[in-house]
Every structure is written in C-alpha cells, then in structure tokens.
Amino acid sequence: MKECQKDISNVFSSDLSKTEFHKAFEEKGEMDENGVYFYGDAHMSYFIDDVVYYTDAIKQFLLLGGVILVVVLVSAFNTMNTAISNLQLRRNEFAQLRALGMTKGSLLKAVILEGGIVWIISSILGIAGGIIVEYYMYKELLRFVIATDFTISWGAVIIAMLLELIVLCGTNMYVIRNMKLDVASELTRSGE
C-alpha cells in the first residue's frame, strides 16, 4: 500500500501497471461529495479508475490479437505444408502429363484452378461453420455479457478468404515454377 500512497503525476506511469497499485485500487475506500475515493492518505478520481480499466482492456485485446495471429500463422503454414506435400507427391503425375505434351504454363494453370476449387469449397464450409459457431457462442454466452445484437463481420470474412486464396495459390505457383519437371528422370524414378 505504501507504493500506491505516493502522488502519481503521470497517468501513463508504469506505476499503474504494478500489482501493488491494482491491489490497493481494488480496496476502495469512501467516496466524498466530489466523486473521489479515499485510500487512507491517497485518493483516486474517476479518471484514474477509467485509465486502469482501459489499460486492462487494451492488454486483454492485445493478448487476444496475439492468440489470433498465432492461430492464423499456424493455419497458413499448415495450408502451405499440405499444398507443397501434395504437389511433391504428384510429381509422377505431372511428368506423365508433360510427356503427353502439356506445357509447364498449362500445368501451372491446372494446379491453380484445382487450388481455386479447393479454396471455394473450403471457404463455403469454413464460413458456414464459423457462422454457426459464432451464433451459438452469442446465443449461449455473449448476449449475457454484452448487450448487442448478433452481427457477422463480412469484412473480416472477405479478408480471411483473400488471405487463404493468396496462401493456397501462391504456394502452388511457387512450387510448380521451382519444380524441375524433367520428364525422363521423373518417370524412371517412379518405375513407369
């Protein structure tokens, strides 16, 4: 309590984030006619109360944002890994198509078209599943905590779809362009 009894002249001081300050702040004393809480020798106004509330909210928001960023990065790397593995396993198929006369550009277009179809299907299923989960979370939890109507953030949905498209098609383009499609060696390697 002695740490918190000093006068805090700067509301953005690091003293506001100290545990001792929060413990003392939660032990509210009496309020005078001006709306000021007294804590023994010290007192706090509503302004400091709001600053502490908003700094805690910002910390929780940043933590949630960090968790979302980690999930997005792990998902992007998982998509890239799956696409690269899929293309590497199909090298024999690509060599056969090249032996039949398909150009590298045509092969790239076919792979990107295939990735686009996967993107459309996964986006439709992901959006439907996400809306269902979001609705039930709202119905069971959030409407009791936050007094708001159920809304869907279509901007976030579009951004997520575009990021998924960029990761999927970008990975396919990169792998196909850098893959050495030597028809003879690929066909002899596979034994066909």
Side-chain angles (χ1 to χ4, degrees), residues 1-103:
M1 182 80 170
K2 294 202 185 267
E3 290 254 342
C4 298
Q5 288 180 350
K6 66 182 180 179
D7 181 32
I8 299 174
S9 59
N10 181 2
V11 294
F12 301 105
S13 167
S14 61
D15 293 334
L16 291 176
S17 62
K18 290 184 178 175
T19 307
E20 295 87 9
F21 178 81
H22 285 274
K23 286 180 183 175
F25 188 72
E26 291 169 2
E27 299 172 4
K28 292 192 187 264
E30 298 180 26
M31 186 189 326
D32 69 358
E33 65 278 352
N34 297 325
V36 175
Y37 286 106
F38 285 90
Y39 302 90
D41 296 344
H43 64 277
M44 292 282 167
S45 67
Y46 284 126
F47 177 71
I48 299 294
D49 191 13
D50 289 344
V51 168
V52 170
Y53 174 78
Y54 287 118
T55 54
D56 285 343
I58 289 170
K59 285 179 187 176
Q60 290 177 0
F61 179 75
L62 290 175
L63 179 66
L64 180 63
V67 168
I68 290 172
L69 181 65
V70 167
V71 168
V72 167
L73 288 176
V74 167
S75 297
F77 286 127
N78 188 27
T79 301
M80 289 170 44
N81 182 36
T82 303
I84 291 169
S85 298
N86 182 29
L87 294 176
Q88 290 295 329
L89 289 173
R90 296 172 57 198
R91 285 170 56 180
N92 182 27
E93 175 187 335
F94 297 152
Q96 290 173 358
L97 290 172
R98 295 273 293 159
L100 293 173
M102 185 177 241
T103 64

Side-chain angles (χ1 to χ4, degrees), residues 99-116:
L100 293 173
M102 185 177 241
T103 64
K104 195 172 184 179
S106 299
L107 183 61
L108 178 61
K109 286 178 187 176
V111 169
I112 289 183
L113 178 65
E114 182 181 298

